[in-house]
């Protein structure tokens, strides 16, 4: 290729003076790979630090199957099903993306348009599912007590072994809890939503209801209940409840009713960062989608742009495969 | 742009007539792998729940073997299966969807080996350190579980 620039839309220029492009890849594709490799290292950093926290608390880490058990519009306990669906949606939208790239190689404009459209729809379903997953996680389902040491105590019905929600046993007491307002405090910014029950109400309800037991974060290492969380008896439960400090409902960056708060922190951080990638991927796909409709790549003579966003889109899928394994399976 | 595609996966054991068929074939394979993961994750077969090999007695030989065989000694086989299946899925996504199979060998190696070395290094250091902290937390010098 000669060193003169031909047209404004010529994308495939390698001005290095030889007919051969380095590694047989165009400049744009090479830069996309540079970005993907560095982004892969960022995600690896996140997942490795998640593993660090998990190894550190190896025998008290929350069990994912007990945390992510919901499906939209259905009641009941269905671990894994919804995430499996999300994974499938993302892989499917990867497939339509490859089909778009393939149609682009053959210069079939209409096929590219349709495949890009399905890719965008798949991505939107995935982002929506992730938002729903976040909302469910933030809302929480059973509620728990946080101790002075920051540990989580959950409640179980002794006869059935099922989890007990706070509202099942907490005794409403006519306690005055006066809202803090700006006029009463010197250093006052605002007040967060109060939990439905106070610590006192939960503990009183626990004492009144002999069918409730406390479940700690520790995972049983030996014997019949190996792999499950430790169940205390009544007297041990009361002893642990003496150290109660907060009532926790749902999860945020500071409190987490499912167990170790680092679990919630990493969940928000890693799936959030991934969801942000999916969101930008969808936006970029939409831009490319309209460019295809407008005929930009038809005039340019090749659909390499579709291939490049395709690489990014597959990378997002690739990251999700790892997030799925390390957050939901292992 | 690589217009010519390599149309076989599993080292030539499964050949396709054209690129579109190959895409659907890979989708089928990835779906099966994911389904296997989900089924294993829900039912958690008891045979995969405790490590296959017991740790060796500490000593020069034993400690080295404990490090070399650590995935089989300290890890539940189920988790090992999940991680291996994940890497298999990652391979097919990168090779067929991101069409690394059709790129030059140099580009492929530059893309794969750079992160692999860095990640292996980072993971080794972080997990070794985390294992040490886990021991400290269990040694009664620190009170954290109250």
């Amino acid at each position: 290729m000669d060193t003169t620039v031909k047209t404004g839309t010529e994308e495939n220029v390698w001005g290095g003076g030889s007919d051969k492009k380095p590694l047989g890849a165009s400049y744009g594709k090479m830069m996309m790979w540079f970005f993907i490799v560095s982004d892969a290292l960022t995600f690896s950093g996140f997942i490795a630090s998640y593993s660090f926290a998990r190894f550190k608390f190896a025998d008290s880490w929350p069990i994912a199957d007990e945390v992510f058990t919901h499906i939209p519009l259905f009641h009941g306990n269905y671990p894994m099903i919804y995430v499996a669906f999300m994974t499938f949606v993302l892989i499917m939208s990867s497939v339509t993306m490859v089909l778009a790239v393939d149609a682009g190689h053959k210069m079939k404009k209409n096929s590219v348009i349709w495949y890009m459209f399905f890719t965008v729809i798949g991505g939107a379903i995935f982002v929506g599912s992730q938002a729903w997953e976040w909302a469910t996680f933030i809302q929480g389902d059973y509620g728990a007590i946080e101790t002075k040491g920051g540990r989580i105590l959950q409640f179980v019905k002794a006869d059935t072994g099922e989890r007990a929600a706070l509202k099942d046993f907490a005794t409403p007491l006519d306690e005055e809890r006066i809202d803090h307002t700006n006029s009463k405090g010197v250093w006052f910014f605002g007040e967060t939503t109060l939990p439905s029950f106070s610590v006192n109400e939960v503990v009183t309800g626990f004492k009144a209801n002999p069918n409730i037991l406390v479940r700690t974060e520790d995972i049983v290492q030996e014997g019949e209940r190996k792999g499950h969380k430790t169940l205390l008896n009544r007297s041990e439960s009361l002893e642990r409840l003496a150290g109660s400090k907060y009532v926790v409902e749902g999860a945020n960056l500071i409190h987490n009713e499912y167990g170790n708060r680092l679990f919630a922190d990493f969940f928000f951080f890693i799936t959030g960062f991934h969801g942000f990638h999916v969101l930008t991927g969808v936006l970029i796909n939409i831009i490319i989608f309209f460019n295809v409709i407008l005929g930009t790549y038809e005039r340019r003579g090749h659909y390499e742009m579709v291939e490049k966003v395709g690489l990014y889109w597959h990378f997002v899928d690739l990251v999700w495969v790892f997030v799925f394994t390390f957050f939901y399976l292992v | 742009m690589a217009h010519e595609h390599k149309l076989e996966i599993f080292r030539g054991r499964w050949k396709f007539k054209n690129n579109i068929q190959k895409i659907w074939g890979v989708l089928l394979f990835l779906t099966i792998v994911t389904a296997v993961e989900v089924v294993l994750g829900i039912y958690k077969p008891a045979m995969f729940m405790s490590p296959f090999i017991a740790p060796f007695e500490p000593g020069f030989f034993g400690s080295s073997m404990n490090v070399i065989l650590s995935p089989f000694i300290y890890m539940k086989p189920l988790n090992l299966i999940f991680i291996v299946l994940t890497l298999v899925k990652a391979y097919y996504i990168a090779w067929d969807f991101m069409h690394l199979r059709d790129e030059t060998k140099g580009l492929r190696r530059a893309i794969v080996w750079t992160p692999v070395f860095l990640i292996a290094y980072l993971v080794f250091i972080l997990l070794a350190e985390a294992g040490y902290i886990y021991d400290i937390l269990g040694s009664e010098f620190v009170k954290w579980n109250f």
Side-chain angles (χ1 to χ4, degrees):
Chain A
M1 194 180 283
D2 52 286
T3 47
T4 52
V5 176
K6 284 186 204 152
T7 61
T9 51
E10 182 73 41
E11 273 278 304
N12 231 345
V13 174
W14 156 243
S18 154
D19 282 344
K20 275 188 165 176
K21 286 178 281 187
L23 298 171
S26 71
Y27 175 79
K29 208 154 115 180
M30 189 87 92
M31 287 307 118
M32 185 48 97
W33 273 113
F34 261 100
F35 168 72
I36 287 175
V37 168
S38 62
D39 215 23
L41 291 172
T42 309
F43 271 108
S44 314
F46 291 162
I47 293 180
S49 52
Y50 168 79
S51 316
F52 177 90
R54 200 173 159 162
F55 262 52
K56 191 172 156 185
F57 297 106
D59 45 22
S60 61
W61 199 250
I63 298 168
D65 282 358
E66 296 175 354
V67 179
F68 307 103
T69 58
H70 297 282
I71 296 182
L73 308 177
F74 286 94
H75 285 290
N77 189 19
Y78 304 104
M80 300 277 304
I81 304 289
Y82 196 57
V83 214
F85 163 76
M86 282 164 70
T87 309
F88 186 72
V89 167
L90 205 57
I91 291 180
M92 246 349 265
S93 85
S94 249
V95 167
T96 53
M97 188 79 230
V98 199
L99 291 172
V101 173
D102 188 77
H105 283 318
K106 294 170 189 152
M107 303 296 284
K108 291 184 193 159
K109 183 179 160 186
N110 280 328
S111 310
V112 180
I113 292 174
W114 276 109
Y115 286 134
M116 285 305 291
F117 177 73
F118 290 130
T119 309
V120 168
I121 296 295
I125 295 176
F126 183 85
V127 176
S129 304
Q130 218 167 25
W132 180 86
E133 184 110 324
W134 267 49
T136 318
F137 185 75
I138 291 169
Q139 197 191 3
D141 37 14
Y142 295 106
I145 286 278
E146 190 177 314
T147 65
K148 283 182 188 132
R151 300 295 100 205
I152 289 294
L153 305 177
Q154 297 167 331
F155 299 94
V156 172
K157 291 174 186 151
D159 49 356
T160 55
E162 285 168 7
R163 290 285 303 280
L166 294 182
K167 65 174 186 304
D168 294 345
F169 66 93
T171 317
L173 305 170
D174 285 329
E175 290 172 319
E176 279 290 315
R177 172 64 166 83
I178 298 157
D179 265 349
H180 256 305
T181 50
N182 209 358
S183 58
K184 291 179 195 143
V186 180
W187 194 262
F188 179 77
F189 290 102
E191 192 166 53
T192 51
T193 330
L194 291 175
S196 333
F197 301 100
S198 70
V199 172
N200 200 6
E201 285 170 337
V202 173
V203 175
T204 315
F206 181 84
K207 282 176 184 157
N209 196 336
N211 191 29
I212 304 290
L213 295 176
V214 162
R215 198 175 87 138
T216 65
E217 285 177 51
D218 307 287
I219 294 169
V220 182
Q221 299 298 318
E222 294 296 330
E224 199 186 320
R225 282 180 50 80
K226 182 170 184 273
H228 294 275
K229 299 277 181 179
T230 308
L231 210 53
L232 302 180
N233 61 32
R234 279 294 285 185
S235 57
E236 287 168 340
S237 299
L238 282 168
E239 209 172 292
R240 266 328 271 284
L241 277 176
S244 306
K245 187 143 192 211
Y246 301 107
V247 172
V248 187
E249 287 172 317
N252 52 46
L253 290 172
I254 303 161
H255 302 292
N256 171 16
E257 72 156 59
Y258 305 102
N260 200 314
R261 59 185 76 161
L262 280 174
F263 180 83
D265 296 347
F266 277 112
F267 175 78
F268 287 128
F269 206 67
I270 294 177
T271 64
F273 202 66
H274 177 262
F276 179 69
H277 274 74
V278 181
L279 186 71
T280 49
V282 169
L283 292 177
I284 296 168
N285 278 343
I286 289 173
I287 294 170
I288 299 299
F289 171 71
F290 282 116
N291 272 345
V292 176
I293 290 181
L294 293 174
T296 311
Y297 307 122
E298 201 70 32
R299 283 195 295 282
R300 193 176 285 175
H302 59 77
Y303 279 83
E304 207 196 55
M305 232 20 228
V306 178
E307 195 176 332
K308 280 181 272 196
V309 291
L311 287 177
Y312 179 66
W313 191 248
H314 299 313
F315 171 69
V316 168
D317 184 23
L318 186 68
V319 170
W320 179 254
V321 165
F322 283 90
V323 173
F324 174 63
T325 300
F326 290 111
F327 254 97
Y328 297 92
L329 287 176
V330 170
Chain B
M1 279 197 293
H3 279 288
E4 57 292 337
H5 297 283
K6 294 189 180 126
L7 294 175
E8 44 190 52
I9 61 173
F10 304 140
R11 299 193 169 271
R13 287 196 190 89
W14 194 3
K15 293 193 177 81
F16 296 97
K17 281 196 214 82
N18 57 46
N19 193 38
I20 292 180
Q21 274 195 3
K22 188 182 83 166
I23 294 166
W24 289 110
V26 173
L27 169 71
L28 181 70
F29 176 67
L30 292 179
T31 310
I32 291 172
V33 172
T34 309
V36 168
E37 283 182 335
V38 170
V39 169
L40 284 177
I42 290 176
Y43 291 104
K44 294 194 172 49
M47 59 178 293
F48 295 133
M49 292 311 280
S50 36
F52 285 141
I53 313 175
F56 294 94
E57 289 287 319
F60 178 71
F61 174 75
S63 302
S64 335
M65 290 307 277
N66 279 346
V67 171
I68 294 166
L69 294 175
S70 55
F72 303 99
I73 293 177
Y74 298 110
M75 219 171 171
K76 279 184 217 151
L78 189 67
N79 289 352
L80 192 62
I81 292 171
F82 285 147
I83 290 171
V84 169
L85 289 181
T86 304
L87 292 175
V88 168
K89 279 202 281 185
Y91 174 86
Y92 283 100
I93 289 173
W95 250 241
D96 291 306
F97 288 177
M98 298 168 103
H99 42 79
L100 275 181
R101 206 186 283 279
D102 304 328
E103 304 290 356
T104 58
K105 202 175 260 181
L107 182 63
R108 212 157 55 203
R109 287 184 177 164
I111 288 165
V112 173
W113 288 114
T114 316
V116 164
F117 278 122
L118 289 168
I119 292 167
Y121 174 66
L122 179 74
V123 167
F124 167 72
I125 286 188
L126 283 186
L127 293 190
E129 182 69 12
Y132 169 72
I133 294 178
Y134 171 80
D135 291 342
I136 295 289
L137 288 178
S139 69
E140 305 287 321
F141 285 115
V142 189
K143 189 165 171 58
W144 63 280
N145 195 356
F146 56 96

